[in-house]
Amino acid sequence: MNGAFRPLDVEAIRGDFPILKQEINPPLIYLDSAASSQKPNRVIDVLSDYYRTYNANIHRGIYRISEKATEQYEEARKKIARFINSPRACQIIFTRNTTESINLVANSWGNANLRAGDEILISVMEHHSNLVPWQLLAQRTGAKLRYIEVTDEGLLHLEELDRLLTERTKLVAVTHVSNVLGTVNPVQSITAAAHAVGAKVIIDAAQSAPHLPVDVQAIDCDFFAFSGHKMCGPTGIGVLFGKLDLLEEMPPFLGGGSMIRTVQREHSTYADLPQKFEAGTPSIAQTIGLGAAVDYLNDVGLDAIHPHEQELLEYAHQKLSEIEGITIYGPKPRHKVGAVTFNLDRIHAHDVAGILDQDGVAIRAGHHCTQPLMQKFGVIATARASFYLYNKLEEVDSLYEGLLKAQKILIRRRG
Ligand code: PLP
């Protein structure tokens, strides 16, 4: 991580993102990177270059452009392995997104290893992607789903961990960073506690990989899942990291071309890792694009991005707290990353987002695919502003002004 810009030169970074340079009125103030990030020229150019100059299927063509496509695709795997400190590149499985990575583990490892009476431990702050696959697995196998509760402050109730982790616990599935509250969970100590009772651990890193330096060997998790589109990469490409012995013993998830060694009429044998889990033609351009996104993040430096985002978060907390009738959910900025989530009294979050949009401010409103968390806080929806390397403090001011405007318009209208 030898950053080209340090401390972060936000104007230079913004220059890398064409969507932010558009001459539109009002200008785009993009505060929804937790849903999907914007893409720098470097990534867009790599996609275009692939389609313009060496578009071909991989791993089978005995001709130059197919060989180049294969090389670039496998190079991306190596870059991503280094990015999360995976011991070997073959432990990086390409999927469509975090959701598919988690479903792969639930179906392959889960079906093979869970039985009636076993327990899967998740938390109340999970995205539905790290919840519904475990519900389905529990229904298929007779295993039981148990929950780590969330405190009123928006942290995990970790004192309960000792009681919840027993010899029945076979899997702990927990998010590294909450997509709603921004809470950063201590995944390393959770993993150690889970391993002490013999449970495996999968970390949902959809909201951490884009923002924090991550090291799967230091965490010691068994599986680690994230999406390219939230970290400056294209849509349609996700990653699953797994420990080598587990991936090797797991049965395939999807069957088809590319994942086999031999096929007979009645049975087949399967390819080595990682191909065993990459059936069919993969997202070639998107994978190469994710490699470029990783290069970009490495050049800027996550160690420079993180403090910049913390500054935005602290400032957003401070400004938004000044607004009468606002409820901010989640812990203090020092315990979180990337997002501030709130409601204004007597105004639905969708109406808040609609008013902000009139001034070009893009935020997210709704349940954020975390209905159990919404239930915990007794709301059906919240508004969420989320930040990334290209956001600047003035954009927080625009958010603040937009919220005052929403109150003025909507509360006056309702009398
Ligand atoms: N997990 C978390 C914490 C997320 O924030 C998201 C997306 O918002 C997901 C999982 C699912 O990601 P994807 O839709 O890319 O599969």
Side-chain angles (χ1 to χ4, degrees):
M1 265 190 262
N2 296 315
F5 318 95
R6 193 166 284 106
L8 215 59
D9 181 346
V10 181
E11 282 311 322
I13 284 172
R14 290 175 70 81
D16 294 337
F17 289 80
I19 203 166
L20 303 177
K21 295 275 122 187
Q22 288 176 102
E23 300 279 335
I24 46 169
N25 192 16
L28 173 64
I29 297 177
Y30 190 72
L31 302 179
D32 196 21
S33 295
S36 201
S37 72
Q38 296 304 339
K39 322 299 176 201
N41 280 320
R42 188 139 156 199
V43 170
I44 298 167
D45 291 349
V46 158
L47 294 175
S48 165
D49 186 44
Y50 166 76
Y51 285 121
R52 286 173 191 280
T53 68
Y54 62 102
N55 173 49
N57 213 329
I58 55 168
H59 291 147
R60 40 192 151 219
I62 323 264
Y63 52 89
R64 238 171 298 163
I65 59 170
S66 171
E67 281 165 4
K68 178 168 178 191
T70 305
E71 232 172 72
Q72 294 296 311
Y73 180 87
E74 291 304 330
E75 194 50 44
R77 197 187 307 276
K78 290 182 201 149
K79 287 176 187 176
I80 290 151
R82 285 193 292 273
F83 188 68
I84 62 168
N85 196 27
S86 167
R88 294 175 59 181
C90 68
Q91 291 169 260
I92 301 296
I93 311 294
F94 289 129
T95 61
R96 275 188 307 140
N97 45 38
T98 308
T99 305
E100 188 173 294
S101 297
I102 295 172
N103 276 277
L104 189 163
V105 176
N107 283 276
S108 170
W109 182 87
N111 288 357
N113 287 282
L114 262 78
R115 302 283 169 270
D118 289 343
E119 292 181 357
I120 305 163
L121 183 60
I122 67 170
S123 90
V124 171
M125 67 168 74
E126 298 313 311
H127 189 283
H128 297 163
S129 291
N130 198 29
L131 191 163
V132 182
W134 308 120
Q135 283 180 341
L136 292 169
L137 176 63
Q139 286 158 13
R140 285 197 298 278
T141 58
K144 192 163 178 247
L145 207 53
R146 304 197 69 191
Y147 282 87
I148 308 171
E149 296 296 330
V150 169
T151 67
D152 293 342
E153 200 195 342
L155 301 171
L156 289 182
H157 249 301
L158 290 172
E159 315 76 66
E160 291 180 354
L161 209 55
D162 276 352
R163 182 178 57 79
L164 290 167
L165 284 171
T166 70
E167 74 284 355
R168 289 186 299 279
T169 316
K170 291 294 173 302
L171 181 75
V172 176
V174 72
T175 193
H176 198 170
V177 171
S178 159
N179 61 309
V180 177
L181 307 172
T183 312
V184 183
N185 293 320
V187 287
Q188 197 162 337
S189 59
I190 294 172
T191 302
H195 284 169
V197 298
K200 303 294 181 215
V201 177
I202 177 166
I203 305 295
D204 173 351
Q207 299 291 348
S208 61
H211 301 282
L212 301 170
V214 289
D215 180 336
V216 290
Q217 294 190 63
I219 298 170
D220 195 30
C221 53
D222 300 284
F223 301 103
F224 191 82
F226 56 100
S227 297
H229 68 96
K230 294 182 196 285
M231 48 188 286
C232 296
T235 51
I237 176 65
V239 174
L240 174 69
F241 158 85
K243 282 195 173 158
L244 195 60
D245 54 338
L246 293 174
L247 291 175
E248 274 176 343
E249 72 194 24
M250 278 160 56
F253 169 42
L254 300 175
S258 307
M259 51 73 73
I260 52 88
R261 188 185 302 281
T262 62
V263 178
Q264 307 298 327
R265 287 192 177 207
E266 305 301 334
H267 62 89
S268 303
T269 57
Y270 308 119
D272 289 337
L273 293 173
Q275 273 75 33
K276 179 171 75 172
F277 291 112
E278 292 182 8
T281 301
S283 302
I284 303 167
Q286 293 85 339
T287 305
I288 299 169
L290 178 56
V294 163
D295 286 342
Y296 181 78
L297 291 175
N298 280 338
D299 284 353
V300 178
L302 282 169
D303 51 355
I305 294 171
H306 182 55
H308 170 68
E309 291 176 357
Q310 284 310 106
E311 191 185 358
L312 289 163
L313 208 51
E314 302 254 358
Y315 185 57
H317 264 249
Q318 180 211 315
K319 285 298 283 183
L320 267 52
S321 306
E322 291 170 12
I323 298 175
E324 213 177 301
I326 196 166
T327 305
I328 299 178
Y329 305 93
K332 301 245 155 43
R334 70 172 181 280
H335 294 298
K336 60 192 235 174
V337 163
V340 54
T341 293
F342 55 91
N343 268 323
L344 297 177
D345 275 358
R346 301 171 60 205
I347 308 181
H348 193 285
H350 282 152
D351 295 336
V352 172
I355 298 282
L356 288 171
D357 178 54
Q358 291 172 5
D359 294 324
V361 180
I363 65 157
R364 184 137 299 237
H367 55 62
H368 315 288
C369 300
T370 56
Q371 289 186 9
L373 186 64
M374 296 291 114
Q375 289 151 16
K376 146 78 196 160
F377 285 105
V379 293
I380 48 168
T382 65
R384 178 190 70 189
S386 54
F387 307 109
Y388 210 8
L389 68 168
Y390 36 68
N391 289 118
K392 46 186 186 175
L393 293 173
E394 297 89 299
E395 293 180 312
V396 175
D397 292 329
S398 304
L399 170 66
Y400 170 80
E401 297 299 333
L403 294 178
L404 295 183
K405 179 176 161 186
Q407 283 184 318
K408 220 187 261 171
I409 295 174
L410 294 168
I411 294 181
R412 193 195 304 130
R413 198 183 286 162
R414 282 168 198 163

